Amino acid sequence: MAVIDELQDIETQTLAKVSSAQSLKELDEVRVDVLGRKGSLTNILKSMSSLAPEEKPIIGKRANEVRKTIESALEARHEALEEAELDAQIEAQALDITLPGRHKVVGSQHLISQIEEQMCDIFTSIGYKVYDGPQVETDYYNFTALNTPEDHPARGMADTFYVHDLSGEQSRVKGESDVLLRTQTSGVQVHTMENLKPPIYMVAPGRVYRRDVADPTHLPMFNQLEGLVVDEGITFGDLKGTLEYFCKEIFGADRKVRFRPHFFPFTEPSAEVDVSCGVCHGEGCRFCSHTGWIEVLGAGMVDPKVFEFSGIDPEKYTGFAFGIGIERVAALHYNLPDLRMLVEGDMRFLNQF
Ligand code: DAH
């Protein structure tokens, strides 16, 4: 084929390929085929020297024209494809700003934790520190060091969850087993006195476990806030003043508070504290079993025997202790008829707080 026809062919075919190229990559392959180092047009330009002298200017001129035409076609197609690719990318990443937003559900603190925090805040605001104690406890801290006799009913299998004996064997036989789930937070008193020197002003919130069947007023797992004060010259008057202050802060200044004599092995004298019923304001109703009062906590002056177990000199120091049921306080605060509502996880109930 004459070189001039060859050039015509290259031009026609290349322009067709350029306009049908669907991507920048494809377009670049077309360019390399024609204008690359071994491209068809490059080959012709390289072989110009072997042409007859009269052919040279004609073929040379035509070859340059073809090159320019192809180059500008490549450039135009390049721009068009680039734009199309950008459009496609924008389209693929487009946000539909008319879509309604996705609602994020924000969690919140459980009611029990909220109340626990409020209770701790009342005590920290008058100088107490907050401590933590183990939920898996030994018989010694839960009972013995708290002056609880060997034959006390609370130590029985019917009341206490025993975990395993000290050799790690599962055991349900009392006597062989002295690792247990604490039945009260009072053991934290002993840990604290073992580790700190008086003056001690502390509260310790946490879970406790008892072998109770859940009913409106009992849960097999619940929370207590233990309190302990050890200092020189502490009296029952300090205990009364502190707990009256706490009850008014948490339940409101209009609630009445009364102290009833009671017995606990680890305090002497001991008392239970009642608050006037928030539903009937002391008139008597179903909520307070028609007494006008609701029991909220146990308290007393630390028994000197507990001081001895814990390494505190009972000649030098006196102190008081108290234990408050946190679920009880929550129930009183919100007049809840059934403690089980606190642990059932029903969001229709929990979302109200
Ligand atoms: N631990 C007692 C209970 O679970 C409550 C209690 C009573 C705690 C008197 C005390 C206290 O610290 O002094 O019923």
Side-chain angles (χ1 to χ4, degrees), residues 17-33:
K17 281 184 194 159
V18 165
S19 58
S20 67
Q22 290 308 312
S23 67
L24 290 172
K25 188 170 171 271
E26 216 181 295
L27 187 67
D28 199 51
E29 281 162 12
V30 177
R31 183 188 61 78
V32 172
D33 279 350

Side-chain angles (χ1 to χ4, degrees), residues 142 146 183-187 189 208 210 222 224-228 239 262-272 295 297-303 320-325:
N142 198 71
L146 291 166
T183 61
Q184 52 188 358
T185 44
S186 301
Q189 290 184 33
V208 301
R210 290 186 193 172
F222 60 102
Q224 289 185 329
L225 182 80
E226 192 73 19
L228 173 71
L239 177 158
H262 198 74
F263 173 80
F264 294 106
F266 34 91
T267 45
E268 181 59 31
S270 306
E272 275 189 334
E295 180 216 318
L297 61 93
M301 300 304 289
V302 180
D303 193 299
F320 67 82
F322 54 89
I324 314 172

